[in-house]
Amino acid sequence: MAEKKYQQQQPQISMAASAIAMRGIRLFLNAGRNAAEKRASPPRTRRTKAVLPANKLPLSGIEALFKTTRFTKNELEALFAMYRRLVVAAQAVAPTSVIGQPVPKVDGIDQNTFRDVMHNTFDLVTEEIILDRIWFTWERGASGGEGALKFEAWARGLSKLLRGNDDERRAHCFAVYDLNCDGYITRDEMFLLLKNSLLKQPGDEDPDEGVRDLVELVLKKMDIDKDGKLSMDDYKQAVEQEPLLLEAFGQCLPSRRHATTFLKTLSTKQ
């Protein structure tokens, strides 16, 4: 009797065990299939979220820059619209990744955009060393000389470049020429700046010798205290006596004509 009862129960136990086993097999097969699909599919490209400037400059920002620059409030709004277009355009052409790693979007005006504006808008067709120095000496506030230009630094720098007084223009040029930032324009710095700005004439056997002669002529004219290098005081006195010496070592300011044209463009956008 007991044996008969066992025979009746055994098929039910076998069916339950089979169901459990089949479910385990299905889970195992699905896991294997998913792993194979992941290996076969190309890796996903992580998209970097663009960091775009606000559509409009906050009123508090306008008020602060109105007090610290020589731009009107309407000009500041037009400048901000230009700044935003430049940032958006630069972000659109920037690579999204390098060697499989996402590249963060530049939040501001980067060096390439800066150079394009100096060339195309202000006609600063000058030597690369000068353009690099203009970029690195641009006043950025607490962030120093690194990173992209935020709008506040962009506006303050353009104010000095376009409407700066004599002291501001002299300070700007001197900082550009002082290549190692030690407070002096030395013979070596003059040589490097002038060598890059002068064209080599056909038949010149030793163009460097001509540049050295020019350096000595410049020192004779501008080195007021005769110590063999130009201090800010030397430079200021020399430029006051002869304004054409302001950009003696290379163009680092837009011409009056290009500055006026740009400012008129701002006015028409009001």
Side-chain angles (χ1 to χ4, degrees):
M1 184 71 177
E3 184 179 354
K4 185 177 180 180
K5 186 176 181 180
Y6 171 77
Q7 291 175 348
Q8 290 175 346
Q9 291 178 346
Q10 188 167 357
Q12 296 177 357
I13 295 173
S14 299
M15 289 176 64
S18 298
I20 294 172
M22 289 299 295
R23 185 168 60 183
I25 291 171
R26 282 198 301 272
L27 291 173
F28 175 77
L29 292 175
N30 287 337
R33 187 184 305 113
N34 292 336
E37 289 175 353
K38 286 182 179 180
R39 288 194 299 268
S41 60
R44 293 182 179 180
T45 302
R46 293 180 60 187
R47 296 183 63 84
T48 305
K49 186 177 180 181
V51 183
L52 299 178
N55 288 321
K56 194 172 183 181
L57 187 65
L59 183 60
S60 58
I62 293 178
E63 293 292 343
L65 288 170
F66 178 68
K67 295 176 182 177
T68 57
T69 68
R70 293 183 173 86
F71 292 121
T72 67
K73 293 180 180 180
N74 286 337
E75 286 173 337
L76 286 168
E77 289 181 351
L79 266 180
F80 184 76
M82 170 192 175
Y83 166 83
R84 192 176 191 280
R85 287 196 301 271
L86 290 171
V87 174
V88 171
Q91 289 184 354
V93 299
T96 58
S97 64
V98 175
I99 316 178
Q101 297 299 317
V103 177
K105 290 291 185 180
V106 176
D107 182 16
I109 292 178
D110 62 10
Q111 189 172 1
N112 288 334
T113 303
F114 179 87
R115 291 163 68 90
D116 288 344
V117 173
M118 293 298 113
H119 271 305
N120 302 326
T121 304
F122 300 122
D123 198 35
L124 277 178
V125 185
T126 187
E127 294 302 311
E128 297 300 312
I129 188 173
I130 297 289
L131 277 178
D132 287 343
R133 289 296 300 160
I134 295 173
W135 166 259
F136 285 115
T137 58
W138 199 276
E139 191 275 311
R140 288 170 169 80
S143 64
E146 299 178 358
L149 288 175
K150 300 297 181 66
F151 176 69
E152 290 76 11
W154 176 240
R156 287 194 301 267
L158 284 180
S159 176
K160 293 176 183 178
L161 208 65
L162 300 172
R163 286 186 172 141
N165 58 32
D166 289 342
D167 285 339
E168 289 172 332
R169 289 163 64 84
R170 281 192 296 265
H172 166 75
C173 292
F174 187 87
V176 170
Y177 301 146
D178 180 12
L179 302 182
N180 64 356
C181 306
D182 67 348
Y184 295 95
I185 306 173
T186 64
R187 270 189 170 88
D188 289 342
E189 289 169 335
M190 293 180 206
F191 177 84
L192 185 59
L193 290 164
L194 291 173
K195 182 179 179 180
N196 279 279
S197 63
L198 296 176
L199 294 175
K200 181 180 178 181
Q201 297 298 321
D204 285 352
E205 295 182 0
D206 187 5
D208 287 359
E209 189 61 33
V211 176
R212 291 190 188 95
D213 292 341
L214 184 57
V215 167
E216 294 307 317
L217 287 174
V218 171
L219 276 171
K220 186 176 180 181
K221 182 73 174 177
M222 301 183 73
D223 184 14
I224 306 298
D225 59 8
K226 307 303 177 185
D227 62 351
K229 56 187 177 183
L230 298 186
S231 65
M232 182 62 196
D233 192 52
D234 290 332
Y235 180 75
K236 178 181 178 181
Q237 291 185 54
V239 172
E240 285 176 343
Q241 294 172 14
E242 177 50 75
L244 290 176
L245 293 173
L246 178 65
E247 296 178 272
F249 305 109
Q251 183 192 6
C252 50
L253 290 166
S255 67
R256 293 289 185 186
R257 180 172 65 86
H258 284 89
T260 300
T261 300
F262 179 78
L263 292 171
K264 283 182 179 179
T265 302
L266 289 184
S267 300
T268 60
K269 293 179 179 179
Q270 297 177 20

